[in-house]
Amino acid sequence: MTGLRYVYAVCRPFGTPLQAQLTGVGGEPPRLLPHGDLVAVVSHVPEGEFAEKPLRANLENLDWLTAVARAHQGVIDALTTVTTPLPLRLGTVFRDDSGVRTMLEAREEDFRRTLDRLEGRVEWGVKVFLEEEREPRAPAPAAKPASGRDYLRQRRQQTRSRDDAWQQAEIFATDLHRALSESAEDSRLHAPQNPTLSGATGRNVLNAAYLVPRGKSEEFVERVDRTKDGIPGIRVELTGPWAAYSFAGEESAGKEEA
């Protein structure tokens, strides 16, 4: 089959077969391309979409990018059930198998070291949101200020209430992150999510990732669950288990946030 080679991930050789009906980017099934003690997971993609110039344009097309990201993620999720994959950046493409093998050889030492560190581990994501209900509501018509001084006092009270709620959420998030970091082997703090892009309600106070051994995942999840109803107006969201994107050393856009 002709076409470029799209690379999803690098991993160690594994014996468990992938799902028979698994498809990747463009509906093509992924295949394993071994090189020494490493394996690249690849599929064929058309030059008309993935050569350098059209790929650059397509990355600006949100619908195209979303479809590719979902297909990319589907392959990574399937790999995560049978091995420890090292996800590569979305849109990693080579001319042919030889180009993929050259990449594996050039980065062999880094790949081995990272795979050794991630072996048997998964990533869990935890987000904390200050619910919009905690934001001060507009005063009822009957509570209209009688004077400019009353108006300023009401505004100060609203600002103080908003600041208090935010401070309480920050303290909660800081304590939670400290506790979860103790249950994880590593952690990463990401920038707060943009609600316009994520669609999540409320203000994102904590957006963190935790590297956890598979055998301790149940304990980690239970620890997060115990915090979910801790303070009214503060929402805790848990996602995962993911391949360890945040700890792979790759600038990956493949993982979709739940």
Side-chain angles (χ1 to χ4, degrees), residues 2-25:
T2 60
L4 304 176
R5 306 301 187 267
Y6 186 101
V7 187
Y8 301 91
V10 174
C11 54
R12 300 284 193 182
F14 57 94
T16 306
L18 293 173
Q19 305 162 14
Q21 302 304 315
L22 179 64
T23 58
V25 174

mmCIF file of all heavy atoms in Angstrom, residues 2-25:
data_model
loop_
_atom_site.group_PDB
_atom_site.id
_atom_site.type_symbol
_atom_site.label_atom_id
_atom_site.label_comp_id
_atom_site.label_asym_id
_atom_site.label_seq_id
_atom_site.Cartn_x
_atom_site.Cartn_y
_atom_site.Cartn_z
ATOM 1 N N THR A 2 0.535 2.203 -0.835
ATOM 2 C CA THR A 2 1.311 3.429 -0.902
ATOM 3 C C THR A 2 0.800 4.423 0.126
ATOM 4 O O THR A 2 -0.276 4.269 0.696
ATOM 5 C CB THR A 2 1.205 4.038 -2.308
ATOM 6 O OG1 THR A 2 -0.173 4.316 -2.585
ATOM 7 C CG2 THR A 2 1.759 3.088 -3.355
ATOM 8 N N GLY A 3 1.568 5.492 0.312
ATOM 9 C CA GLY A 3 1.184 6.518 1.262
ATOM 10 C C GLY A 3 2.265 6.765 2.274
ATOM 11 O O GLY A 3 3.264 6.034 2.348
ATOM 12 N N LEU A 4 2.082 7.811 3.043
ATOM 13 C CA LEU A 4 3.020 8.147 4.106
ATOM 14 C C LEU A 4 2.766 7.270 5.319
ATOM 15 O O LEU A 4 1.755 6.577 5.403
ATOM 16 C CB LEU A 4 2.864 9.622 4.459
ATOM 17 C CG LEU A 4 3.035 10.614 3.297
ATOM 18 C CD1 LEU A 4 2.768 12.039 3.774
ATOM 19 C CD2 LEU A 4 4.430 10.513 2.690
ATOM 20 N N ARG A 5 3.691 7.335 6.269
ATOM 21 C CA ARG A 5 3.550 6.539 7.491
ATOM 22 C C ARG A 5 3.225 7.465 8.661
ATOM 23 O O ARG A 5 4.016 8.339 8.997
ATOM 24 C CB ARG A 5 4.825 5.754 7.793
ATOM 25 C CG ARG A 5 5.326 4.878 6.663
ATOM 26 C CD ARG A 5 4.290 3.841 6.231
ATOM 27 N NE ARG A 5 4.874 2.919 5.273
ATOM 28 C CZ ARG A 5 4.820 3.070 3.954
ATOM 29 N NH1 ARG A 5 4.208 4.134 3.440
ATOM 30 N NH2 ARG A 5 5.382 2.185 3.160
ATOM 31 N N TYR A 6 2.068 7.247 9.235
ATOM 32 C CA TYR A 6 1.647 8.000 10.421
ATOM 33 C C TYR A 6 2.047 7.189 11.645
ATOM 34 O O TYR A 6 1.693 6.014 11.758
ATOM 35 C CB TYR A 6 0.133 8.212 10.398
ATOM 36 C CG TYR A 6 -0.391 9.094 11.497
ATOM 37 C CD1 TYR A 6 -0.718 10.423 11.258
ATOM 38 C CD2 TYR A 6 -0.551 8.597 12.794
ATOM 39 C CE1 TYR A 6 -1.185 11.237 12.279
ATOM 40 C CE2 TYR A 6 -1.019 9.403 13.809
ATOM 41 C CZ TYR A 6 -1.336 10.719 13.552
ATOM 42 O OH TYR A 6 -1.787 11.520 14.566
ATOM 43 N N VAL A 7 2.766 7.802 12.583
ATOM 44 C CA VAL A 7 3.257 7.083 13.754
ATOM 45 C C VAL A 7 2.478 7.534 14.988
ATOM 46 O O VAL A 7 2.459 8.714 15.333
ATOM 47 C CB VAL A 7 4.766 7.316 13.980
ATOM 48 C CG1 VAL A 7 5.273 6.418 15.106
ATOM 49 C CG2 VAL A 7 5.548 7.046 12.698
ATOM 50 N N TYR A 8 1.843 6.578 15.671
ATOM 51 C CA TYR A 8 1.050 6.864 16.868
ATOM 52 C C TYR A 8 1.892 6.841 18.136
ATOM 53 O O TYR A 8 1.739 7.701 19.011
ATOM 54 C CB TYR A 8 -0.069 5.824 17.024
ATOM 55 C CG TYR A 8 -1.011 5.769 15.860
ATOM 56 C CD1 TYR A 8 -0.769 4.897 14.798
ATOM 57 C CD2 TYR A 8 -2.147 6.573 15.812
ATOM 58 C CE1 TYR A 8 -1.644 4.832 13.719
ATOM 59 C CE2 TYR A 8 -3.023 6.513 14.746
ATOM 60 C CZ TYR A 8 -2.753 5.641 13.694
ATOM 61 O OH TYR A 8 -3.619 5.592 12.627
ATOM 62 N N ALA A 9 2.736 5.826 18.235
ATOM 63 C CA ALA A 9 3.441 5.609 19.495
ATOM 64 C C ALA A 9 4.625 4.685 19.267
ATOM 65 O O ALA A 9 4.740 4.011 18.231
ATOM 66 C CB ALA A 9 2.492 4.995 20.535
ATOM 67 N N VAL A 10 5.482 4.656 20.273
ATOM 68 C CA VAL A 10 6.595 3.713 20.332
ATOM 69 C C VAL A 10 6.415 2.891 21.600
ATOM 70 O O VAL A 10 6.009 3.423 22.643
ATOM 71 C CB VAL A 10 7.949 4.446 20.345
ATOM 72 C CG1 VAL A 10 9.106 3.465 20.553
ATOM 73 C CG2 VAL A 10 8.141 5.235 19.057
ATOM 74 N N CYS A 11 6.694 1.607 21.520
ATOM 75 C CA CYS A 11 6.555 0.749 22.693
ATOM 76 C C CYS A 11 7.533 -0.414 22.603
ATOM 77 O O CYS A 11 8.281 -0.543 21.626
ATOM 78 C CB CYS A 11 5.121 0.227 22.827
ATOM 79 S SG CYS A 11 4.490 -0.603 21.351
ATOM 80 N N ARG A 12 7.531 -1.238 23.620
ATOM 81 C CA ARG A 12 8.295 -2.481 23.604
ATOM 82 C C ARG A 12 7.484 -3.540 22.860
ATOM 83 O O ARG A 12 6.254 -3.436 22.767
ATOM 84 C CB ARG A 12 8.561 -2.954 25.034
ATOM 85 C CG ARG A 12 9.352 -1.981 25.891
ATOM 86 C CD ARG A 12 10.814 -1.979 25.548
ATOM 87 N NE ARG A 12 11.616 -1.289 26.560
ATOM 88 C CZ ARG A 12 12.922 -1.112 26.469
ATOM 89 N NH1 ARG A 12 13.573 -1.576 25.416
ATOM 90 N NH2 ARG A 12 13.581 -0.487 27.428
ATOM 91 N N PRO A 13 8.124 -4.574 22.339
ATOM 92 C CA PRO A 13 7.359 -5.662 21.717
ATOM 93 C C PRO A 13 6.362 -6.269 22.714
ATOM 94 O O PRO A 13 6.663 -6.390 23.906
ATOM 95 C CB PRO A 13 8.443 -6.674 21.335
ATOM 96 C CG PRO A 13 9.685 -5.856 21.180
ATOM 97 C CD PRO A 13 9.579 -4.778 22.228
ATOM 98 N N PHE A 14 5.184 -6.620 22.240
ATOM 99 C CA PHE A 14 4.177 -7.217 23.106
ATOM 100 C C PHE A 14 3.472 -8.342 22.356
ATOM 101 O O PHE A 14 3.386 -8.339 21.126
ATOM 102 C CB PHE A 14 3.164 -6.177 23.605
ATOM 103 C CG PHE A 14 2.456 -5.423 22.509
ATOM 104 C CD1 PHE A 14 1.226 -5.849 22.026
ATOM 105 C CD2 PHE A 14 3.015 -4.273 21.960
ATOM 106 C CE1 PHE A 14 0.572 -5.159 21.023
ATOM 107 C CE2 PHE A 14 2.370 -3.573 20.952
ATOM 108 C CZ PHE A 14 1.148 -4.012 20.481
ATOM 109 N N GLY A 15 2.969 -9.308 23.117
ATOM 110 C CA GLY A 15 2.404 -10.498 22.513
ATOM 111 C C GLY A 15 0.899 -10.468 22.329
ATOM 112 O O GLY A 15 0.350 -11.185 21.491
ATOM 113 N N THR A 16 0.196 -9.648 23.100
ATOM 114 C CA THR A 16 -1.266 -9.605 23.007
ATOM 115 C C THR A 16 -1.695 -8.841 21.760
ATOM 116 O O THR A 16 -1.275 -7.693 21.564
ATOM 117 C CB THR A 16 -1.862 -8.912 24.250
ATOM 118 O OG1 THR A 16 -1.383 -9.556 25.425
ATOM 119 C CG2 THR A 16 -3.381 -8.958 24.211
ATOM 120 N N PRO A 17 -2.500 -9.434 20.900
ATOM 121 C CA PRO A 17 -2.903 -8.744 19.665
ATOM 122 C C PRO A 17 -3.842 -7.579 19.953
ATOM 123 O O PRO A 17 -4.599 -7.591 20.925
ATOM 124 C CB PRO A 17 -3.610 -9.832 18.861
ATOM 125 C CG PRO A 17 -4.088 -10.812 19.886
ATOM 126 C CD PRO A 17 -3.061 -10.797 20.984
ATOM 127 N N LEU A 18 -3.786 -6.576 19.100
ATOM 128 C CA LEU A 18 -4.719 -5.464 19.191
ATOM 129 C C LEU A 18 -6.090 -5.915 18.699
ATOM 130 O O LEU A 18 -6.232 -6.950 18.043
ATOM 131 C CB LEU A 18 -4.218 -4.286 18.343
ATOM 132 C CG LEU A 18 -2.942 -3.597 18.830
ATOM 133 C CD1 LEU A 18 -2.480 -2.563 17.802
ATOM 134 C CD2 LEU A 18 -3.177 -2.923 20.176
ATOM 135 N N GLN A 19 -7.105 -5.140 19.001
ATOM 136 C CA GLN A 19 -8.458 -5.460 18.568
ATOM 137 C C GLN A 19 -8.499 -5.637 17.053
ATOM 138 O O GLN A 19 -7.934 -4.825 16.306
ATOM 139 C CB GLN A 19 -9.417 -4.337 18.975
ATOM 140 C CG GLN A 19 -9.386 -4.001 20.458
ATOM 141 C CD GLN A 19 -9.988 -2.638 20.747
ATOM 142 O OE1 GLN A 19 -10.650 -2.057 19.897
ATOM 143 N NE2 GLN A 19 -9.756 -2.129 21.938
ATOM 144 N N ALA A 20 -9.196 -6.666 16.609
ATOM 145 C CA ALA A 20 -9.220 -6.988 15.184
ATOM 146 C C ALA A 20 -9.850 -5.861 14.352
ATOM 147 O O ALA A 20 -9.443 -5.618 13.214
ATOM 148 C CB ALA A 20 -9.980 -8.296 14.960
ATOM 149 N N GLN A 21 -10.834 -5.172 14.912
ATOM 150 C CA GLN A 21 -11.545 -4.145 14.158
ATOM 151 C C GLN A 21 -11.002 -2.739 14.402
ATOM 152 O O GLN A 21 -11.617 -1.759 13.961
ATOM 153 C CB GLN A 21 -13.044 -4.178 14.530
ATOM 154 C CG GLN A 21 -13.720 -5.526 14.276
ATOM 155 C CD GLN A 21 -13.584 -5.986 12.843
ATOM 156 O OE1 GLN A 21 -13.773 -5.204 11.918
ATOM 157 N NE2 GLN A 21 -13.247 -7.259 12.658
ATOM 158 N N LEU A 22 -9.869 -2.639 15.065
ATOM 159 C CA LEU A 22 -9.316 -1.321 15.392
ATOM 160 C C LEU A 22 -8.886 -0.588 14.124
ATOM 161 O O LEU A 22 -8.181 -1.139 13.275
ATOM 162 C CB LEU A 22 -8.115 -1.477 16.327
ATOM 163 C CG LEU A 22 -7.402 -0.186 16.739
ATOM 164 C CD1 LEU A 22 -8.332 0.703 17.559
ATOM 165 C CD2 LEU A 22 -6.134 -0.510 17.539
ATOM 166 N N THR A 23 -9.322 0.650 14.000
ATOM 167 C CA THR A 23 -8.888 1.497 12.891
ATOM 168 C C THR A 23 -8.260 2.771 13.443
ATOM 169 O O THR A 23 -8.571 3.195 14.560
ATOM 170 C CB THR A 23 -10.059 1.866 11.957
ATOM 171 O OG1 THR A 23 -11.071 2.547 12.723
ATOM 172 C CG2 THR A 23 -10.646 0.628 11.308
ATOM 173 N N GLY A 24 -7.398 3.352 12.662
ATOM 174 C CA GLY A 24 -6.710 4.562 13.084
ATOM 175 C C GLY A 24 -7.085 5.741 12.209
ATOM 176 O O GLY A 24 -8.229 5.849 11.722
ATOM 177 N N VAL A 25 -6.135 6.614 11.991
ATOM 178 C CA VAL A 25 -6.361 7.820 11.202
ATOM 179 C C VAL A 25 -6.756 7.436 9.768
ATOM 180 O O VAL A 25 -6.124 6.567 9.151
ATOM 181 C CB VAL A 25 -5.094 8.690 11.200
ATOM 182 C CG1 VAL A 25 -5.250 9.881 10.258
ATOM 183 C CG2 VAL A 25 -4.785 9.171 12.611
#
